[in-house]
Structures are given as structure tokens and as C-alpha cells.
Amino acid sequence: MSTHAPVHVHAAPQGFIRKYIFSLDHKVIGLQYYFLALTSVFIGMFLSLLMRVHLIWPQAVLPLVGDIKPENYLAFVTMHGTIMVFFVLTTAPQGGFGNYILPIQIGAPDMAFPVLNMLSFWTTFVGFVALIAAFFVSGGAPLHGWTGYAPLSALQSAGPGQGLGADLWITSIAIFCIASLMGALNFITTTLDLRAKGMKLMRMPLTVWAWFITAILGLLAFGVLLSAGILLLLDRNLGTSFYVPLVVVNGQVMGHKGGSPLLWQHLFWFFGHPEVYIAILPGMGVTSQVLSTFARKPIFGYKAMVYALMGIGLLGFMVWGHHMFMSGMSPYSAFAFSLMTMAIGVPSAIKTFNWLGTLYKARIRFHTPMLYAIGFVSLFVSGGLSGPFLAQPVLDIPLHDTAFVPAHFHLIMGVAAIFGIFAATYYWFPKMFGRMMNESLGRIHFWITLVGTYAIFMPMHYLGLAGQPRRYSQFTEVAYLHNLIPLNKFITYAAIITISAQLIFLFNLFWSMWKGAKASDNPWEATTLEWTTATPPPHDNFGGHTPVVNHGPYEYSVPGAPRDYIMQNDPATASTH
Amino acid sequence: MGLALLLVIWLITFASTYFFIAKTWWFPVGYSAAAAAIDHQFTVTFILMGIVFVLAQGALGLFAWRYRDRGDAHPVQYSHGNITLEVIWTALTAVLFIGLNLAGSPIWAAERFEPAHPGSVPVEVTGMQFAWYFRYPGADGKYGATNPKLIDPSSGNEAAIGLDTSDPAAKDDVVTGTMYLPVNREVDLTLRAVDVIHSFFVPNMRFKQDAVPGLAIRMHFTPIAVGDYEIACAELCGLGHYKMHGMVKVVSQDDYDKWLAAREAAK
Amino acid sequence: MATLSPTVTLKDLKTGHGGGIVPPPKTGGGGDGGGNGAPDYGGRLRRARLGLIVALTPIIMLFVAFTSAYIFRQGLPTLDAAGKAYIRDWMTVNLPIALLMVNTSLLLVSSITMEFARRQITRQAALAPVRSIPGISIGEERGFPWLYLTVVLGIGFLVGQWFAWQELGARGFYLATSPSSSFVYLLTGAHAVHLIGGIFALLYAAATSLLHRPVEARRIVVDVTAWYWHFMALLWIYVFALLVLAR
């Protein structure tokens, strides 16, 4: 299907602005996304640190921030979620690594639409600025949570921060939608149209499949979020009543009538559920890639992995109601949604079995990327298995909106997906910067983070069972929460240690860019196309020599082969894969 | 490194599982008629998922150690997969997950598909920033009209929910800040909200339902033991969300009647 | 920081400047691996069209979301002020149908003129290699200004929509008057915003002509814009039908 037509490749740019600021090169743009995400994750982590500290010491006056009032705490909750979900988990895996690596892995000189690519990054950046600005306007950042349920999010008088701060929040999200749609357009067109000769769809690395399917999810989901946001802006500012029925705030009758708070939830979660798959699918792709490379074995069940990715993507659009079991939605709909939700556990399980199958009778090399890939599998299992509890409406009755829910989604999004980003960083850093990251620092970072994140999020399950509700700024007012405070203390201490340990990663990242050991073109002895080209890759990725692909992506330890890996463009015996 | 992975993964698995089994932090005791069935479904899910958890993490740790590169010429099993295995474990997973779901469905149906039975105790729960109010319809069994313009949160009770006393049906309505219920009788609950979404959560009753503005949601549950049970708001509703709590006092039928009569008389 | 893009001479790569003497068209479709300097316009057109199809998907999703919100809201019962009963507050909007029909005709005609413009430049692009052979003359390139006419008609549609909004206001239906009126403004407004985007695309296409870009490249711009324009017409018919038939 690919036309194999060369992209209209721009000549290598000159000048700082064209090379590093408004670059059209997907590699530069990928790094721009990555560093935006890196900035965002440290802001997001800092917010979560403030949150955890406040929960344990509600009266504390902290440096830089002062004393934290309930509305401040809720503003941190809201901004932490928004920054992490959008500007970290939807930015680094897809915009960052996807942009950098996808064209190279399919043998293309760049993305299909380089100008659009540049615009999509800068639009994302504008969205980021708009979001952060909410902290600095009068009233501060909004307090309605990253999920922004109406009417709380739709009424300017419903709380501090619900004025201009909330308008900036929804505007930032709308801008982010447009930026993501532009990116999705590029990913899909590039994957369909720019594959090199011989790069059949079923020879694409699983990372490419993951980015491709993620882009399709984004293409279908972000338009709906945009529609939800437009309706919210209209309700907030122009007096419409899409979401707001007749309500009275602080004794004042608001001018709205007849709207439905559930409409916001339906529109938001129709986007919101695919969004969490957007956050995790690239990490799954990276895990498959890294496990195979360092196990020196083909990925177990490549086709099943592809179909599982598709299955997760498709089913991901049919389960949004499981966020709404307690919302007042029809219980019959709840039943239907819960069946679909249990069904989506099946392709996820298939992937886990296949990862285990890849390790079975392998020859594992424990470089840092591999540690993170193995960590991903462990965390995905842990986080995934709390899903079947929440997926059953009858069990959701005691568990909905308790700490059990953030335990579930943090293990998957807040840790496993992040491990996917770490694995990708350690894995592709040599190709991007021509140097190796430090292995010892990588190991220390891995161990502290693995144990630390388990120490933070495993106990949250217990807190949820005991009935601790979400988004409480302190636990002093509800009597049955008092004896949960010691466990909360433990979590806070674990968080302080784990967050601090991320500085090791930051140091390793920047130090290695200048002082890391020089990397060869293929330090991991991997098979995919990015390892066939120079380190770092030239402007057009392949120095004028478009690769021709003869093999599948994971031909490791092929019996009879001269060495334990066959690169995809190896001209020797074309294999059956 | 493989050994370290095995030990750490197994240790984390053991520690997590231990605290679940030991019930160090667990559900509060369930004092509603539905609690036993809900808790049972939870236990079944928990055991099955627990087994999967231990097996999967165990295998991961074991493989990480067992199949480490020992530097010898030990051959790697070159394999692109096994269709039979894929089919088997897909089918087993599907049966497990869907089966679990279907097993719990009758409980959901009993809780939510059917309305309260005749003869149950009617109570209307209204959530607002940041308090719960409870309304009893009185002898006429009908809730009187409320008027948004009459809502005055600072005056509490009747004024907080905007009770419109010009409506005859409202004259015998009792509004309180504490929920009294007679034991062993089903409660016919109507949930309302005045400003934003709140959620009426009583852990001891295994009961939770969002209170949504613009809707009057009918629910039911049956308390089966006398006692005081705390209510916590379970949907982010603003800066006072953490302190929006209340109390359900379940008392004997006699005590309940006396209490209600006293409140009627005080009007 | 390590160099991100070391300078590499790209002798073998296409630079996209198709000016000057161009050899006769090849019979094969794509794949310029040999570096003869001619960009593969056929491949680029296919890629641009693929990009357009992909880009139309989220626009469709936006209107699918608006439509479901519309249907949902239309049937939605809400608790009355006394808190006793559920009522439905959907009020039928008095749409200025005649005016909207005029606008619809303008848009449909603009689709026709757009299609003529697209075919016109397709012919010109096909003839371009012939035209550059010395000694051949096939007459003047200037044809009827279909593209500019489309822009005029498109702007006419938007002006007409503005008048329709004014008329709605005169009839007492503003954005926040009722849920049904909110949706009228929402759906027509969202369509208009996307149409304005189309007009910018048309103006860009016109600009590429004034800037003397190669006709094959201009053809791609006009072609993609044309399909987008047709889609906007279809979308308008859908919106109009929804607002009239599902009142």
C-alpha cells in the first residue's frame, strides 16, 4: 500500500532557529516533545509531593508554597492529574519517542508532513503554557479534578479557582486536542504511506504498531473531548445549559436550567477511556521491543500481539461507562459496560502471557532498559488485576471514588507507563545522543523506583478497601479515617524517597549527554532499522540509502545464522517472516 | 541481577498478598442486607485474582532468574509462538473474567434493577456544599415542594433545602441533619443535590450513590444492625469535600417512631 | 549537546524545485530512486489525499459528539423547580428556513465551481510537461477563475449564515435562550469555523498561483482543498437536515 515515494525532504537546515527551534526534522521535534514531558513530569511530581505532605501534616507551612488550604490542595490534585495525563503520558511516549523513532523504524526519511509536525509540537507547547498560567491568575488553578465533572467545573462561583483558572484549564485542553489530532494525522499517514520496500505491515516492529494504533485512538477520541470542552466553555461563559440543571450555589439561584451533568461524563469518558490506552499502548510496544532485544528471542506470538493491540484499541471505545457505574446512569447500561470491560482484560492478558513466553528459555541480558521492561510487566500485572474488581458494578459500590481507584490507575499509568518511558530512554539514548547512559546509576534508579512505587501504590488498595474516599485534602474530619493516617504516613515517606530518586535519572540523562561512553551504531545488537544507521542518525535518517527490508523485526537466535541476530535489512537469505 | 529480580518481585508479591490475606486494613463490617452477598463476590474475585497475581509475578521472577545469560552456549529456544497455547490461555482468561462478571450480576440486579418494596421507609437525602440533609415525608407519605429561591444554607434544615411551606404536602415534612432509620426495614431513598454532584457513601451499609443536580435518584438498602454509621461524601464537590460527612443512626422501630414523633411535634 | 543533525550533502535527494526543463512524463507511477530531480507528484498527491481522509475523521467525530449530545439533550427529563416531577424543556426553534435554503444553494453551487477549479488545474498539471517542450504551444493557460468564484461563494455562504443568526435573534432565539437554540448556534457555528478554514486553504491555493509555484504542486493543494470543500457541503446538508428533521 505504501507508495515508496520519497518524502519531499527539506535540505538540512542551517541556523539555530531552523535547526533547534522551528525544526522540521522529526528527530528534533521528538526531542522537543520529550523535554517538554520531562519538564512536565517534574512539575507533576512536585505537586504530588506537596499533596502527600499536606495529607500527613495539614497545618504545615511549606517553603515556596506557604500554607496549603483545601482549595490549594484540590488545585494541586487537578493540575497534577492534568499535567501527568496530557503533558507527560500523552506526550513523551507518542510525541517524543514515536516522532523520533517511527520514521526510522519503517525506513522513512521523515514524517509525511514535517511542517504539520513542527506545528503540532508548538501547539502542544502553547497548551502547556495556558495550563501553567492557571496557577498565576486571580483565584488560582481550578479545583475540580482532572476529570472536571460538571456542574462543579461549569459554575464560576462553585469554588476558588473556578473562574479564570478553570477557563484556562479547559482552553489548554482544547489546544492540546488540536495538537494531538495534528500529530495523529502524521503518524497514521506516515505508517501507511512511507514504509520502505519490504516493510510489510506484519514486519513492522511492535513499537510502530503501538504508535500507529495509539494514533488511531487519538484521532477518534480527541474530537469528542474537544466537543465536551466547547460545551463546557459555553456553559461557563455564555449562559448555555448543556451540563447544568437548575442549581443553587451558596443560596444564589444560577441562571441555568435543564442541563445534564451526566452528558459531560459521557462525552469526557468516551475520550477518557481510550486516553488511558493511548497512555499505555506505546509502553507495551516498547516493552515488547526491549524484552525481545535483551532476551535474544523473537517476541512470542507477534501476530497475537498485533491483534491484541487492535483488540485493546477497539474495545477501549466500548467501556467508558465503567467510570459511571455510580453516576445515576441506567443500571442496565452499567451491566453492558461491565461485560465489555471484563472483555478488554482478555487481550491485556494475552500480551502478558506473550511477554512471559518471550522470556521463557531465553538468554536474558540485564542492561538497564531490560530491567525497566521486566518492571513494566510486573507493574502491569499488579495494576491490571485490580481492574476486574472495579469492572464489576456491584464491587464498584464500595470501591468507587476510594483510594482503590488511584491505586489501580497509578500502578498502570503512573508507574508502568513511566517505566515504558524509562525503558525507551535508556534503550534509544545511545542512538539519539551517540553516548551510553551510565549503567550503575541506571540500576540504582531502577531498584529505588521499583520498590518505591510499589511501596506507594500497593498500600493504597488497602486504604480503598477501608473506605478512604478520593480527593480529600485531609483526613481529620471523618472519624473512620483517623486510623488510616499511619498507613498514609508510610505512603508519604515512600513518595518522598522515590521522588527524590528521580533526580538520579535526571542527572544520568544530562551527564551522559556530554560524558557518557561513546556508543557504537548498534550497542544492543538489535535488529530493527534504527540500529542499521549512523549514531546519531543523519538528517534524512539513512544518508541517502533507503533501506530494503528482508526480515521480520525480531529475528534473534535464528538457528544456523552466523550470529544471534539478523537485522531487518540484512540482504542474506530472506526469511519467511 | 536475575536473582535480585526474582527475590524482589517475589518479596513484593508476598508482602502485598500477606496484607490482603491478613486483612490488616479491610472493609468495615457490613451491616446491611446486601453486604453479605457483596462481600462474598469480593472474596471470590479476590481469591481468583490473587492466584493469578501470585502465579504471574512468580513466573516473571522465576524466568528472569532461570533464563539469564550465563555466558555458556546454552541454546535459546527460537520460537515465534504457539497458536495452541494462545487459544488455550485466551479462552481460559475469557471464561474467568466473563464468568466472574456474570456471577456478580444477580446481586447488581437485586440492588439496582428493582425499586424498593412497598412498606419501606421513605427518606430523601439532599447533598449540598458541604452538608447532608434528610427529609421524612410525614404522615401524608408525600414529599412537599421545594423552591430553589427559598434555599438558605445558613439557616439549616428546612431552609437549607428550600422547603416550600405554601405546599400543603410540605407542612408535615421533617428535615434533619442526622439520618435516623429503623433497623431491619428497607429504606426507600431519594437522592438529590442542590449545586454540584455529591455522593452518598455509607461504608458500613456497602452503599454508595452519586447525588446529581437535576435528578431525583431512587435507591434502596436495608440496615440490619442498630448503631451509628458514618457518611462520607464520595464525589469531589469543592473545597469542603473532605468535611462533608454525616451520620446514619440505626435504632429500633420504637425509638425511631419516638424520634420522628418528637420532630413532628417540634414543627 | 551532541549534534542533532550533522550537515550531510543531499545530492541524491529530491529538493522539490520542479522549475526548468522537465523531461517527458514517465509511464511508471512512483519511486524516484534514481535522482533525476523530478519530484513524485503522483505519490505526493496520494499521500495528501490520505492525509485528508485521516484529517476528516476527527471532524466527523466532533459532529458525532455534538449530535449525540443533541439527541441526548432533546429527550432528557429534568427535575422541575419544585423537585416533584420530571419535565422536558425542549422548545422547537423557529428556524429561518428560507434563508438557510438560500445559503445551502450558495454552498452547493460553490461545490460545483470548486470541482471545476479542481478539474481545471488537473488538466493544467497533466499538460505541464508537454508545455515545457520547446516548440510546443497549446495556448493560454488562463481559464475561468473558478477558484476565486468559489471563495466568493464561500464568503457569501458565511455572510448568509451571519444573517440567519441575526434573524434567529430577531425571533427571540439566542445562544442561551433554550437548549435547542444553543444547539442551533453550536452546530452551525462549528460548521462555519471549519468552512472558514476551508476558505483559508483556498486563499493559500490562490496564493501559490500568484507565487508561481509549479502547477503540479499547486494541483495537490487545490485537489485536497476541493475534497475538503465537498465534505463541508455534505456536512452542512447533514447539519441542516438534523436541525430541521430532528427538531
Side-chain angles (χ1 to χ4, degrees):
Chain A
M1 211 228 135
S2 171
T3 62
H4 311 304
V7 169
H8 174 190
V9 175
H10 36 97
Q14 314 296 328
F16 186 83
I17 301 271
R18 298 289 299 283
K19 263 169 99 164
Y20 299 118
I21 310 291
F22 293 118
S23 173
L24 301 181
D25 183 338
H26 70 100
K27 299 185 285 298
V28 175
I29 295 170
L31 288 172
Q32 288 174 319
Y33 271 108
Y34 184 83
F35 286 111
L36 177 63
L38 192 65
T39 308
S40 304
V41 80
F42 274 89
I43 297 176
M45 274 197 303
F46 178 64
L47 291 172
S48 69
L49 189 61
L50 293 176
M51 285 153 56
R52 284 308 321 172
V53 166
H54 176 78
L55 283 175
I56 303 305
W57 300 290
Q59 313 308 326
V61 178
L62 298 169
L64 270 187
V65 194
D67 77 314
I68 299 176
K69 301 195 263 311
E71 54 268 36
N72 302 133
Y73 178 86
L74 292 175
F76 298 159
V77 166
T78 305
M79 298 297 273
H80 166 82
T82 311
I83 290 173
M84 291 304 208
V85 170
F86 290 112
F87 292 98
V88 180
L89 294 175
T90 313
T91 296
Q94 187 82 346
F97 290 107
N99 248 313
Y100 197 113
I101 302 291
L102 186 148
I104 312 180
Q105 277 193 340
I106 60 172
D110 203 319
M111 284 284 189
F113 306 116
V115 175
L116 190 68
N117 206 9
M118 182 268 289
L119 287 174
S120 74
F121 169 73
W122 284 108
T123 310
T124 309
F125 184 79
V126 169
F128 174 76
V129 170
L131 184 68
I132 301 296
F135 277 121
F136 300 104
V137 298
S138 129
L143 49 62
H144 53 228
W146 92 277
T147 47
Y149 277 17
L152 181 59
S153 58
L155 298 170
Q156 309 233 3
S157 49
Q162 293 310 99
L164 184 55
D167 280 320
L168 281 169
W169 177 84
I170 190 65
T171 305
S172 152
I173 288 177
I175 296 173
F176 188 88
C177 288
I178 311 239
S180 296
L181 289 172
M182 293 199 272
L185 202 166
N186 241 324
F187 275 62
I188 294 169
T189 311
T190 304
T191 309
L192 290 175
D193 209 44
L194 265 73
R195 280 169 286 125
K197 189 160 180 297
M199 180 57 81
K200 301 186 281 201
L201 284 174
M202 284 305 191
R203 276 186 180 164
M204 298 196 309
L206 285 170
T207 36
V208 177
W209 272 112
W211 289 316
F212 177 57
I213 293 172
T214 300
I216 296 177
L217 295 182
L219 196 76
L220 296 169
F222 274 103
V224 179
L225 179 64
L226 185 61
S227 78
I230 292 172
L231 299 187
L232 186 64
L233 276 169
L234 290 175
D235 269 12
R236 288 177 50 79
N237 296 297
L238 292 177
T240 51
S241 300
F242 293 108
Y243 303 130
V244 190
L246 183 58
V247 289
V248 181
V249 178
N250 283 332
Q252 296 271 72
V253 181
M254 299 284 110
H256 303 273
K257 269 203 328 251
S260 168
L262 264 68
L263 178 60
W264 165 265
Q265 292 182 45
H266 280 294
L267 290 174
F268 179 82
W269 285 119
F270 184 88
F271 150 79
H273 200 83
E275 166 64 12
V276 313
Y277 292 112
I278 289 171
I280 197 68
L281 247 51
M284 290 174 156
V286 169
T287 297
S288 298
Q289 173 88 5
V290 171
L291 282 179
S292 183
T293 303
F294 292 94
R296 315 310 291 166
K297 256 188 87 182
I299 195 80
F300 189 94
Y302 172 89
K303 279 216 169 97
M305 290 301 239
V306 173
Y307 294 133
L309 283 171
M310 292 180 184
I312 293 173
L314 180 66
L315 288 171
F317 275 100
M318 303 185 198
V319 301
W320 81 89
H322 68 227
H323 301 271
M324 297 173 62
F325 287 152
M326 302 294 118
S327 67
M329 179 177 73
S330 148
Y332 299 97
S333 306
F335 175 66
F337 279 117
S338 82
L339 268 178
M340 300 306 296
T341 306
M342 293 307 251
I344 208 171
V346 177
S348 305
I350 293 174
K351 293 193 83 70
T352 309
F353 292 132
N354 283 355
W355 287 323
L356 290 173
T358 307
L359 293 177
Y360 181 72
K361 296 206 171 151
R363 183 186 268 157
I364 304 173
R365 302 174 175 176
F366 292 105
H367 297 281
T368 310
M370 185 56 156
L371 298 178
Y372 276 103
I374 293 175
F376 180 99
V377 179
S378 171
L379 290 156
F380 184 70
V381 167
S382 303
L385 287 176
S386 52
F389 291 86
L390 297 166
Q392 300 180 58
V394 73
L395 296 184
D396 202 42
I397 299 177
L399 296 175
H400 172 73
D401 230 273
T402 64
F404 196 89
V405 178
H408 166 72
F409 68 69
H410 274 94
L411 276 175
I412 308 209
M413 298 209 306
V415 199
I418 300 285
F419 271 49
I421 297 174
F422 284 138
T425 306
Y426 286 97
Y427 185 66
W428 280 311
F429 185 95
K431 179 57 57 177
M432 294 175 177
F433 298 104
R435 294 176 182 271
M436 308 297 285
M437 284 180 80
N438 185 285
E439 274 286 305
S440 307
L441 288 179
R443 286 189 186 160
I444 297 172
H445 173 231
F446 167 74
W447 285 116
I448 300 181
T449 309
L450 180 73
V451 175
T453 48
Y454 264 119
I456 297 170
F457 295 112
M458 230 359 141
M460 276 191 198
H461 294 97
Y462 315 136
L463 293 174
L465 296 184
Q468 177 177 300
R470 286 177 74 178
R471 297 161 165 173
Y472 271 31
S473 54
Q474 52 197 81
F475 301 125
T476 50
E477 306 303 306
V478 175
Y480 78 82
L481 297 179
H482 292 162
N483 56 359
L484 299 176
I485 293 182
L487 187 55
N488 275 289
K489 270 211 170 97
F490 173 80
I491 294 175
T492 296
Y493 289 129
I496 293 173
I497 295 172
T498 312
I499 291 177
S500 308
Q502 303 317 304
L503 295 171
I504 301 176
F505 170 75
L506 200 60
F507 173 77
N508 195 358
L509 187 70
F510 285 103
W511 183 87
S512 303
M513 283 182 202
W514 276 273
K515 297 280 209 248
K518 284 238 196 271
S520 64
D521 288 348
N522 189 359
W524 310 125
E525 296 185 316
T527 54
T528 43
L529 288 180
E530 74 271 32
W531 305 107
T532 66
T533 187
T535 293
H539 176 63
D540 72 330
N541 295 336
F542 295 100
H545 312 292
T546 313
V548 174
V549 173
N550 295 312
H551 302 274
Y554 302 118
E555 294 302 295
Y556 293 99
S557 302
V558 180
R563 45 182 198 189
D564 78 339
Y565 64 104
I566 299 178
M567 304 198 75
Q568 280 197 275
N569 64 345
D570 191 315
T573 38
S575 71
T576 51
H577 295 282
Chain B
M1 190 52 69
L3 188 60
L5 278 166
L6 178 144
L7 290 173
V8 172
I9 290 176
W10 283 19
L11 196 65
I12 290 174
T13 306
F14 174 75
S16 326
T17 315
Y18 168 80
F19 284 111
F20 275 113
I21 296 181
K23 301 193 181 179
T24 319
W25 299 274
W26 200 249
F27 291 111
V29 182
Y31 290 117
S32 72
I38 295 176
D39 289 359
H40 175 76
Q41 179 68 15
F42 181 87
T43 305
V44 170
T45 306
F46 164 63
I47 289 176
L48 290 170
M49 293 300 109
I51 293 173
V52 174
F53 176 66
V54 170
L55 289 178
Q57 301 282 14
L60 183 65
L62 182 67
F63 290 2
W65 171 71
R66 188 121 188 269
Y67 301 114
R68 65 196 186 282
D69 185 355
R70 282 171 262 210
D72 56 16
H74 193 82
V76 166
Q77 187 197 63
Y78 175 80
S79 158
H80 275 275
N82 183 324
I83 302 272
T84 314
L85 264 181
E86 299 277 9
V87 170
I88 293 178
W89 61 44
T90 304
L92 284 176
T93 310
V95 165
L96 174 66
F97 283 163
I98 310 249
L100 255 181
N101 187 300
L102 292 175
S105 313
I107 313 170
W108 178 250
E111 287 304 292
R112 300 282 167 126
F113 286 6
E114 297 155 20
H117 297 103
S120 41
V121 180
V123 188
E124 182 195 75
V125 177
T126 302
M128 65 182 70
Q129 289 179 329
F130 297 102
W132 295 103
Y133 289 103
F134 309 95
R135 176 153 70 135
Y136 298 81
D140 64 356
K142 288 210 284 273
Y143 295 110
T146 51
N147 187 333
K149 297 201 188 56
L150 297 175
I151 290 181
D152 178 12
S154 52
S155 309
N157 292 348
E158 279 84 358
I161 68 163
L163 193 64
D164 187 356
T165 42
S166 66
D167 178 3
K171 290 208 188 334
D172 62 351
D173 289 1
V174 170
V175 183
T176 65
T178 306
M179 188 185 204
Y180 275 79
L181 292 176
V183 70
N184 291 321
R185 280 186 66 195
E186 192 175 33
V187 181
D188 179 2
L189 213 60
T190 304
L191 278 154
R192 291 177 60 186
V194 158
D195 38 35
V196 298
I197 302 180
H198 301 272
S199 193
F200 184 70
F201 177 36
V202 191
N204 288 104
M205 295 293 139
R206 302 288 187 270
F207 184 86
K208 181 185 287 124
Q209 174 57 47
D210 285 2
V212 183
L215 295 178
I217 300 175
R218 299 286 293 274
M219 288 280 152
H220 55 88
F221 67 93
T222 307
I224 58 174
V226 166
D228 291 352
Y229 309 111
E230 217 167 354
I231 305 164
C233 179
E235 182 58 54
L236 175 59
C237 55
L239 60 84
H241 174 54
Y242 72 102
K243 55 181 181 181
M244 184 170 165
H245 70 131
M247 201 58 87
V248 179
K249 283 182 177 311
V250 179
V251 296
S252 67
Q253 183 68 56
D254 270 346
D255 287 340
Y256 172 76
D257 293 332
K258 286 203 200 83
W259 171 83
L260 198 53
R263 298 306 297 248
E264 297 269 5
K267 283 172 72 69
Chain C
M1 182 172 286
T3 326
L4 291 166
S5 48
T7 43
V8 166
T9 48
L10 303 172
K11 282 198 290 286
D12 290 342
L13 287 193
K14 320 293 168 265
T15 55
H17 296 301
I21 299 202
V22 174
K26 302 204 291 277
T27 45
D32 283 73
N36 58 8
D40 172 23
Y41 287 111
R44 282 161 64 180
L45 176 67
R46 267 205 299 285
R47 183 167 309 141
R49 283 177 174 170
L50 174 62
L52 179 70
I53 292 173
V54 174
L56 291 181
T57 308
I59 300 179
I60 293 174
M61 289 309 289
L62 185 75
F63 283 89
V64 164
F66 285 150
T67 306
S68 0
Y70 182 81
I71 311 264
F72 181 98
R73 185 67 177 82
Q74 200 172 44
L76 190 72
T78 193
L79 207 54
D80 67 2
K84 286 209 181 191
Y86 280 105
I87 51 171
R88 281 192 171 76
D89 62 347
W90 189 264
M91 198 194 313
T92 310
V93 175
N94 188 359
L95 289 167
I97 306 251
L99 181 48
L100 291 173
M101 292 290 250
V102 168
N103 293 342
T104 308
S105 333
L106 280 177
L107 195 62
L108 289 177
V109 170
S110 79
S111 232
I112 296 174
T113 58
M114 180 81 244
E115 186 59 17
F116 282 144
R118 189 183 74 84
R119 288 170 191 229
Q120 180 184 58
I121 198 167
T122 304
R123 270 197 306 278
Q124 288 167 359
L127 288 173
V130 177
R131 190 186 306 283
S132 65
I133 296 174
I136 301 284
S137 164
I138 51 177
E140 260 310 299
E141 204 198 86
R142 285 264 156 271
F144 190 83
W146 293 111
L147 199 68
Y148 293 98
L149 184 53
T150 309
V151 173
V152 168
L153 289 170
I155 293 177
F157 171 84
L158 290 170
V159 169
Q161 292 291 79
W162 177 253
F163 283 139
W165 280 16
Q166 299 291 98
E167 180 55 29
L168 267 175
R171 295 178 185 195
F173 291 97
Y174 296 92
L175 176 64
T177 306
S178 76
S180 46
S181 72
S182 300
F183 274 103
V184 170
Y185 283 93
L186 177 73
L187 286 161
T188 54
H191 174 265
V193 164
H194 285 91
L195 196 76
I196 291 173
I199 295 202
F200 278 121
L202 284 175
L203 292 174
Y204 174 71
T208 56
S209 149
L210 293 171
L211 292 169
H212 299 296
R213 289 265 183 276
V215 65
E216 295 93 332
R218 282 192 279 130
R219 179 267 182 108
I220 294 175
V221 176
V222 175
D223 188 273
V224 165
T225 308
W227 293 117
Y228 180 80
W229 195 263
H230 297 325
F231 173 77
M232 281 297 128
L234 283 172
L235 184 62
W236 168 248
I237 293 176
Y238 167 74
V239 167
F240 194 15
L242 181 70
L243 292 175
V244 170
L245 299 174
R247 291 219 218 190

